[in-house]
Amino acid sequence: MVHGSRKETPRERRWKTPPPPFVSGANVTTADRNALRDAGWPTCWSGAAELLDWCRPFDAVLDTDGTTRWFPGGRLNASYNCIDRHVEGGRGDEAAIIWEGKLGETRAYTYRQLEDEVNAFAAALRDLGVGEDDVVTLYMPMVPELPIAMLACARIGAPHSVVFAGFSADALATRLTGANSEYLVTCDGYYRRGTALHLKSMADNACLSVEQDVEQIVVNRLDDGRSTGDHHSYADLVSDHDGAEIDPVERDSDDLLFLIYTSGTTGEPTLVGHTTGGYLAHVAWTSYAVFDLGPDDTHWCSADVGWITGHSYAVYGPLALGAATVLYEGTPDHPEKNRLWEVIERNEVDVFYTAPTSIRAFMKWGSEYPEQHDLSSLRLLGTVGEPIDETAWRWYREHVGGGECPIVDTWWQTETGGVVLSTLPGADRMRPGAVGRELPGIDAAVVNEVGEEVAPGESGRLVLTRPWPGMARSLCDGSGWGARRTSTVRNQWQYDTGDNAVRDVDGYLHLLGRADDVLNVSGRRLSTAEIESAIVGVEGVAEAAVVGGTDTMKGSKVHAFVSPESNVAGDEALRTRVRSAVESAIGSIAAPDSVTFTPSLPKTRSGKVVRRYLKAIANGETLGDTSALRNPEVVGELESLLDE
Ligand code: WT7
């Protein structure tokens, strides 16, 4: 970490200043940031909206009369903003999407090629009967046709609902039903660690179990002729509509751009809706200010497009700014552990954005892998998904960022649409382990149970105290898609993020993880209730409780406590059935890492399962007083079980 002969002082160790060449070329300088803070949030967000082209200008930045609406009166199209305007501006031959396939193949789309294919597919969707506001489900791996389909939907005003390809047929069925979606774009299959997985058969199973008729469109990735069932071929549709031009549909700022599922605290996945104007302005501005992106940059957000991170920073944000975005199909260690660094070197990636769970894996594999490659094109690194510890932060900066690159630790959620807490790389000092402050235009606080702000150094719940443009539509009016988690405390609007945090004396926020029953496994959000409901569906299981155990690589691991019915043995066979039930209800990402059988679960006198104890047991921690339990003896039994 130490460059030159001088040792770092303790203060320098705590704070890192961005390198002068970065600062002088940054999109947002200290002076810009100060001016924005002084000007106040309406100026910040009208500036964000001005990064976009509007067909009709908005009448106001925010309307809170009844419901919260961003940029009311404004009309725009997201596909136009992400494609056409760059072609019209003379950048048609510049790269838009750079795809790195699993088998080593690469494919690049210029903005003009992207425009052609998006138009052709939009025309095909229309011909199939997709109208404005019809929800199109996209169940696809990391192939270029995924962002193309998203943008084609956006072009005709049809909200997309992307379902992560690692989800099971049951999970897809729940999501098709919840969004009442009658159109599904999928793939015949894809490769995972060199093995072909057949997605189409999962899609068929899902379609069989939903009530509505679902029209399927299939992209051939494996092309092994195994896709059966009624469907249209993506390739045929696109070639039949070659040369079609579809006028981008003017959408109200508040109209839905897409739906996305996330894990809430209930047993059902939560459906979140994002708007066209507010969301796009938010992700465009944060791509500009936090990722410092411009049209000459190549940005690589390594998240799967199936999650919000990929929507915002692999697709909409970078394309809105006319940058090139890298889409990588494979896994980071296949065929070799240097694969990512090879992709960065080959494509001269400027900005790389990944999750701490991946950084910990890179660290474990060793610095010899990044060292084999010239990573000097990188000028900024980002991280997201969970708190990053100082060791991982320093390793990332040293071995990927050449000891020089600024790092932005960005905190946000599916519900926030885009980054809300982060340093600005050209304006703020970095503090490893802290995300920084609120971005200009954002107000946050750390509060106690009654909603009062706590003193610096004290932990509490992180709340956002003012609406922001990327906010999920369900947070705007409490109706429509998704659960409402806002409240008014002493006339102060608050959105409860579900995370605990501490603000330090310098105003920087340190995140402490989820306070609710949501687990963060390898940067992916899972609900304990959803996993439990899959487990209790297994024959022979009476009750189950799922908690997060700490895992140095994955953040959390899934620990299930299962109580079998009397006369049913808690044996290997049941354990396997429990695991496969979760795999088929949700997907293998949610399969329990450990299953502990117990005659009963620890409960309060009123019968509520006390997860706190189970969590302590799973993590080998001391339990404190258990006398308030109805069945304190079970805790002792559980502890001894785990010791075995
Ligand atoms: C949860 C949101 C959109 C980001 C990807 C996940 C955790 C996110 C950070 C960070 C500490 C973080 C929080 C949050 N989280 N970023 N930089 N530091 N924790 O989106 O699936 O909606 O999960 O991820 O716990 O609530 P998500």
Side-chain angles (χ1 to χ4, degrees), residues 123-202:
L125 287 173
R126 256 213 192 138
D127 272 3
L128 291 176
V130 180
E132 214 177 322
D133 290 316
D134 287 343
V135 178
V136 180
T137 301
L138 310 177
Y139 181 52
M140 298 161 85
M142 292 285 275
V143 290
E145 290 82 358
L146 174 53
I148 289 168
M150 291 163 76
L151 292 161
C153 289
R155 195 164 192 89
I156 58 172
H160 52 74
S161 164
V162 180
V163 176
F164 173 57
F167 278 130
S168 64
D170 285 1
L172 172 62
T174 314
R175 286 157 175 77
L176 282 166
T177 302
N180 192 22
S181 173
E182 296 178 347
Y183 302 92
L184 174 63
V185 187
T186 186
C187 236
D188 54 352
Y190 64 106
Y191 299 97
R192 188 96 191 143
R193 297 191 185 281
T195 327
L197 299 179
H198 291 273
L199 208 57
K200 174 68 166 76
S201 57
M202 310 259 267

Side-chain angles (χ1 to χ4, degrees), residues 262-263 307-309 312-313 353 356 383-388 408-419 421 435 485 495 497-500 510-516 518-520 523-526:
T262 187
S263 294
W307 309 101
I308 189 74
T309 317
S312 301
Y313 299 111
Y353 187 36
T383 147
V384 65
E386 54 182 313
I388 181 166
V408 284
D409 180 356
T410 62
W411 184 95
W412 57 293
Q413 306 179 304
T414 307
E415 293 87 342
T416 70
V419 178
L421 310 178
V435 291
R485 280 200 289 162
Y495 163 67
T497 65
D499 273 34
N500 283 335
H510 300 243
L511 274 299
L512 305 173
R514 300 290 303 197
D516 53 13
V518 171
L519 303 184
N520 191 331
R524 278 160 190 174
R525 204 160 128 177
L526 300 172

Side-chain angles (χ1 to χ4, degrees), residues 100 255 362 399 433 469:
E100 290 271 352
D255 281 340
F362 307 152
H399 298 287

Side-chain angles (χ1 to χ4, degrees), residues 181-260:
S181 173
E182 296 178 347
Y183 302 92
L184 174 63
V185 187
T186 186
C187 236
D188 54 352
Y190 64 106
Y191 299 97
R192 188 96 191 143
R193 297 191 185 281
T195 327
L197 299 179
H198 291 273
L199 208 57
K200 174 68 166 76
S201 57
M202 310 259 267
D204 287 340
N205 286 340
C207 291
L208 282 177
S209 63
V210 300
E211 272 175 23
Q212 71 270 33
D213 284 335
V214 179
E215 193 110 43
Q216 284 195 53
I217 300 162
V218 177
V219 174
N220 275 337
R221 171 74 184 105
L222 300 177
D223 224 1
D224 59 3
R226 280 183 48 175
S227 283
T228 49
D230 235 3
H231 65 266
H232 305 272
S233 139
Y234 174 93
D236 291 350
L237 288 178
V238 165
S239 75
D240 291 349
H241 293 84
D242 187 30
E245 282 177 29
I246 295 289
D247 282 342
V249 169
E250 281 187 24
R251 300 281 280 165
D252 271 346
S253 174
D254 201 41
D255 281 340
L256 275 181
L257 177 59
F258 64 85
L259 296 170
I260 186 163

Side-chain angles (χ1 to χ4, degrees), residues 8-20:
E8 288 174 309
T9 64
R11 181 142 190 95
E12 282 169 332
R13 238 193 323 273
R14 278 180 54 198
W15 292 105
K16 298 282 168 207
T17 38

Side-chain angles (χ1 to χ4, degrees), residues 347-589:
N347 296 294
E348 297 181 18
V349 171
D350 297 89
V351 182
F352 180 59
Y353 187 36
T354 194
T357 184
S358 309
I359 299 167
R360 290 192 297 267
F362 307 152
M363 250 170 84
K364 198 175 118 195
W365 298 340
S367 54
E368 60 267 32
Y369 295 102
E371 271 156 20
Q372 289 164 16
H373 296 275
D374 176 4
L375 304 180
S376 60
S377 61
L378 288 173
R379 55 184 194 86
L380 174 63
L381 302 175
T383 147
V384 65
E386 54 182 313
I388 181 166
D389 58 89
E390 259 189 76
T391 316
W393 195 100
R394 288 173 192 280
W395 189 93
Y396 193 29
R397 187 158 201 239
E398 186 63 23
H399 298 287
V400 182
E404 285 273 298
C405 287
I407 296 182
V408 284
D409 180 356
T410 62
W411 184 95
W412 57 293
Q413 306 179 304
T414 307
E415 293 87 342
T416 70
V419 178
V420 289
L421 310 178
S422 170
T423 51
L424 292 172
D428 296 319
R429 294 181 300 172
M430 297 161 273
R431 169 126 192 220
V435 291
R437 296 166 187 274
E438 301 89 322
L439 294 179
I442 299 287
D443 276 319
V446 178
V447 301
N448 61 19
E449 305 77 56
V450 291
E452 290 163 348
E453 191 153 8
V454 300
E458 280 177 34
S459 64
R461 191 63 73 92
L462 175 72
V463 297
L464 301 181
T465 53
R466 182 193 300 290
W468 63 96
M471 66 200 287
R473 203 161 76 170
S474 50
L475 306 180
C476 299
D477 58 10
S479 66
W481 305 99
R484 182 182 157 93
R485 280 200 289 162
T486 51
S487 66
T488 308
V489 177
R490 300 209 176 96
N491 292 326
Q492 162 85 66
W493 184 93
Q494 284 196 348
Y495 163 67
D496 178 355
T497 65
D499 273 34
N500 283 335
V502 182
R503 202 190 275 279
D504 65 24
V505 286
D506 301 299
Y508 273 38
L509 288 154
H510 300 243
L511 274 299
L512 305 173
R514 300 290 303 197
D516 53 13
D517 293 328
V518 171
L519 303 184
N520 191 331
V521 178
S522 299
R524 278 160 190 174
R525 204 160 128 177
L526 300 172
S527 130
T528 55
E530 229 174 301
I531 304 173
E532 284 161 9
S533 92
I535 298 177
V536 295
V538 174
E539 214 184 298
V541 169
E543 269 192 311
V546 167
V547 297
T550 37
D551 184 283
T552 47
M553 293 306 283
K554 303 205 300 184
S556 283
K557 62 181 176 204
V558 179
H559 195 128
F561 290 88
V562 175
S563 140
E565 280 168 6
S566 49
N567 308 327
V568 173
D571 55 10
E572 269 322 298
L574 187 58
R575 185 170 276 123
T576 308
R577 283 186 5 245
V578 162
R579 286 218 178 92
S580 62
V582 177
E583 276 173 22
S584 73
I586 305 169
S588 52
I589 48 165

